[in-house]
Amino acid sequence: MSHITIQGGSRLEGTLAVQGAKNSVLPILAAAILHPGRTVLRGCPHLSDVESSIRILRHLGCRVDWEGGDLVIDASGLSRWDIPDHLMREMRSSVVFLGSILARTGWAELSHPGGCELGPRPIDMHLSALRQLGADIREEGGFLRCTAQHMTGREITLSMPSVGATENAMLAACGAQGETVLVNAAREPEIADLQAFLCGMGCQVKGAGSSTICIQGRQPTHDVCHTVMPDRIVAATYLAAAAAAGGEIELRQIQHSHLSTVTAALHAAGCQIYSGPGQTVLRSEGRLHSAGTVRTAPYPGFPTDAQAILMAALLRGEGATVFVENIFENRYRHVDELCRMGADISVAGRVAVVTGVPALYGAQVRCTDLRGGAALMVAGLAAQGETRIGDIFHIQRGYEDPVGDLRALGADIRMS
Ligand code: EPZ
C-alpha cells in the first residue's frame, strides 16, 4: 500500500477526536532520558517519526514498549551517548536529543542533522545556547562531538524564537547547575506541553508559552505519566478538508486558541466556525473566497505548518489569497503538484498568490514533504474525479491514520 486514492466530491460530516501532537511528543521522547526510570506517555501517536525516536532511545539503552495507546519508556539502562548517522538521517529533529543526552551523561556525539525538503535547517542557535551553558562542542567531519561535564545555568537570549533551539536549551538546562533564563524563547503550545512533562518528572520549569522560560537545573526526578496534547496541525488539516469539500465537522479535545489564526483565515474565506470547551465546529459550502493575506510567523502568528493546508482549501472558489512564507526558505514545493490538479498559483520567492478556480480535477500527484502531502489530500477531496497520491511516507511521518479519520467523516478515500 504505497498510495492514497481519493474520489473527490463527498461532503464531510461527523465528529473526530484528534491524535496526539507529533511536535510535542518528539521533544518529550528526548526529555524522557533525563530521568533514569519510567515514563508513560498516554495518547502517543503511532507515527514514523515516533518510531525513529524509539529506535534512538533503544540504541541509547532504554527499554521502550507500546502498551495499547500508551508508550512506556524505561531509561534506567541508558548506557550510550551517541546517535549514529543512519538514525540521525531518519529525522533531522533528532537533534533535540543533544540537550537531554548532555544533561544526563555529560557527553554526546551525533552527526550533523543537515537539511531537509524545506531547505537548509541550521542549528547554530541550538549550539550557541548549549555552548553558553558550558558545553564544549566540536564540529568535525559532519559530526558533533560534545562534552559538558559541568554546565552552569545563565541567561540565554535566542536571536529568533526557534522552537527546536528553545527545546534543546530547556533540556540541557535541566542538567545545569543553578537557574537558566531563556529570553526570546518560542511560545508554541508544544513548548508548554514539554514544560508540563518536565514538571511532571520533577524538573522545575516555568514560563513556557511566554517569551521567557526559567529552568532550575539538577532537580531530583521521578517516574512520570503524561498525556500528549492534541495535534493542532492535524486539527487544522481536517478543518481545511471540510472547508474544501463542504460539510460540517466537529473536532474534540482541541484547544481552539491553539489554532485560532487558522480558523480566523477559514472564517474570512467564508466558513462558519463555532468553538466551545475542547471542541471546534466548522461548517462550509465548499466554495471559498479570498482569505486576504496570510503571513506565516512564530506562534501566536499563523503557523508555517498550516500554510500548504490552508492553500489547498482555497484553490476552488473565487478571489485571490496572498501567502507570505516567513519561516522556511523552500516551503512551496507542493505548488507544482497542486497545479497538476488545475490550481492557479503563482510563486515569487517567499510570496505565493492563489487565485480560486471553478473546479479542481483529480490527478496523479506525489507528496513533496509532510504538510505538502496533507495539502494534496485536502485538494483531492475537493476535486472532481480520482486523485492518486504517491510517496505517502511523507504523510505517515505526522498523520497517524488520515485515511481512517477522513473515511469516518464520509470521504471516499482509501490506501491503494
Ligand atoms: C519545528 O521545527 C517543527 N518541528 C516544524 O514542524 C515547524 O515548522 C517549526 O518548528 C516552526 O514552527 C518539530 O517541532 C519537530 P525552528 P524547528 O527552529 O524546530 C531557522 C512539521 O511540519 N533556524 O523554529 O526546526 C530555521 O532554519 C515541521 O511538523 C536557524 O536559522 O523550527 C527556520 O528557518 C516542519 N538556526 C526557522 O529558524 C537554528 O539554530 C524556524 O526554525 C534553528 C532554526
Side-chain angles (χ1 to χ4, degrees), residues 232-250:
R232 60 192 171 103
I233 306 302
V234 169
T237 305
Y238 294 147
L239 293 176
E248 179 172 341
I249 68 166
E250 175 185 342

Side-chain angles (χ1 to χ4, degrees), residues 22-23 26 92-93 118 120-126 160-165 188 304-305 327-328 331 370-371:
K22 168 181 84 79
N23 291 349
L26 293 181
R92 60 162 309 284
S93 54
L118 305 183
R121 302 288 292 273
I123 58 169
D124 54 297
M125 287 186 269
H126 297 239
M160 62 148 292
S162 154
V163 172
E188 273 70 3
T304 174
D305 294 348
I327 303 295
F328 288 108
R331 202 163 198 177
L370 167 56
R371 307 303 174 183

Side-chain angles (χ1 to χ4, degrees), residues 115 161 215 246 254 321 368 398:
I215 305 102
I254 202 70
T321 298
T368 53

Side-chain angles (χ1 to χ4, degrees), residues 40-62:
V40 177
L41 295 181
R42 293 250 144 78
C44 182
H46 289 253
L47 306 169
S48 56
D49 273 6
V50 168
E51 291 301 328
S52 295
S53 294
I54 290 172
R55 281 189 282 276
I56 290 174
L57 288 168
R58 287 175 176 153
H59 169 82
L60 294 173
C62 301

Side-chain angles (χ1 to χ4, degrees), residues 53-377:
S53 294
I54 290 172
R55 281 189 282 276
I56 290 174
L57 288 168
R58 287 175 176 153
H59 169 82
L60 294 173
C62 301
R63 270 190 58 86
V64 187
D65 301 291
W66 286 103
E67 291 182 7
D70 299 345
L71 189 67
V72 181
I73 300 140
D74 180 345
S76 56
L78 185 133
S79 57
R80 302 178 68 116
W81 57 75
D82 68 305
I83 301 179
D85 188 52
H86 73 277
L87 289 180
M88 278 303 293
R89 287 182 183 278
E90 280 187 30
M91 183 179 66
R92 60 162 309 284
S93 54
S94 302
V95 70
V96 76
F97 273 92
L98 179 55
S100 57
I101 293 173
L102 282 177
R104 173 78 185 269
T105 71
W107 308 86
E109 183 170 303
L110 44 84
S111 61
H112 210 286
C116 74
E117 306 87 5
L118 305 183
R121 302 288 292 273
I123 58 169
D124 54 297
M125 287 186 269
H126 297 239
L127 303 185
S128 168
L130 299 183
R131 284 178 169 130
Q132 291 179 66
L133 289 170
D136 174 64
I137 301 176
R138 297 165 197 269
E139 301 177 67
E140 296 161 355
F143 273 81
L144 301 169
R145 303 186 201 287
C146 316
T147 55
Q149 299 301 302
H150 305 290
M151 289 194 285
T152 306
R154 52 166 292 171
E155 180 170 297
I156 296 171
T157 298
L158 297 178
S159 55
M160 62 148 292
S162 154
V163 172
T166 299
E167 293 163 345
N168 236 333
M170 287 168 73
L171 299 182
C174 288
Q177 193 65 41
E179 182 180 59
T180 297
V181 179
L182 295 183
V183 179
N184 197 27
R187 298 168 52 189
E188 273 70 3
E190 292 76 21
I191 306 278
D193 206 32
L194 176 61
Q195 172 178 283
F197 172 76
L198 291 170
C199 292
M201 181 190 271
C203 300
Q204 278 196 35
V205 185
K206 61 185 180 185
S210 78
S211 298
T212 304
I213 300 175
C214 300
I215 305 102
Q216 199 62 249
R218 293 186 182 276
Q219 299 300 304
T221 58
H222 49 69
D223 291 1
V224 57
C225 178
H226 179 82
T227 299
V228 178
M229 66 174 276
D231 194 310
R232 60 192 171 103
I233 306 302
V234 169
T237 305
Y238 294 147
L239 293 176
E248 179 172 341
I249 68 166
E250 175 185 342
L251 298 184
R252 289 275 168 81
Q253 296 162 2
I254 202 70
Q255 190 162 328
H256 185 251
S257 62
H258 289 173
L259 70 170
S260 56
T261 52
V262 177
T263 52
L266 288 168
H267 180 260
C271 297
Q272 294 172 301
I273 310 267
Y274 308 95
S275 64
Q279 66 166 170
T280 297
V281 177
L282 177 140
R283 183 182 297 147
S284 166
E285 295 311 315
R287 304 185 66 77
L288 302 181
H289 50 254
S290 169
T293 297
V294 178
R295 296 175 182 84
T296 65
Y299 193 88
F302 187 93
T304 174
D305 294 348
Q307 175 252 106
I309 293 157
L310 176 67
M311 182 184 285
L314 298 172
L315 300 177
R316 183 179 65 153
E318 295 155 3
T321 298
V322 178
F323 285 85
V324 186
E325 174 52 59
N326 293 310
I327 303 295
F328 288 108
E329 290 178 12
N330 188 25
R331 202 163 198 177
Y332 288 130
R333 299 177 73 234
H334 49 280
V335 166
D336 287 347
E337 296 301 309
L338 293 174
C339 289
R340 291 168 68 94
M341 301 174 71
D344 179 352
I345 309 170
S346 304
V347 174
R350 289 184 176 269
V351 177
V353 179
V354 177
T355 305
V357 294
L360 294 173
Y361 304 95
Q364 300 259 9
V365 291
R366 284 188 173 187
C367 301
T368 53
D369 53 70
L370 167 56
R371 307 303 174 183
L376 294 176
M377 290 195 292

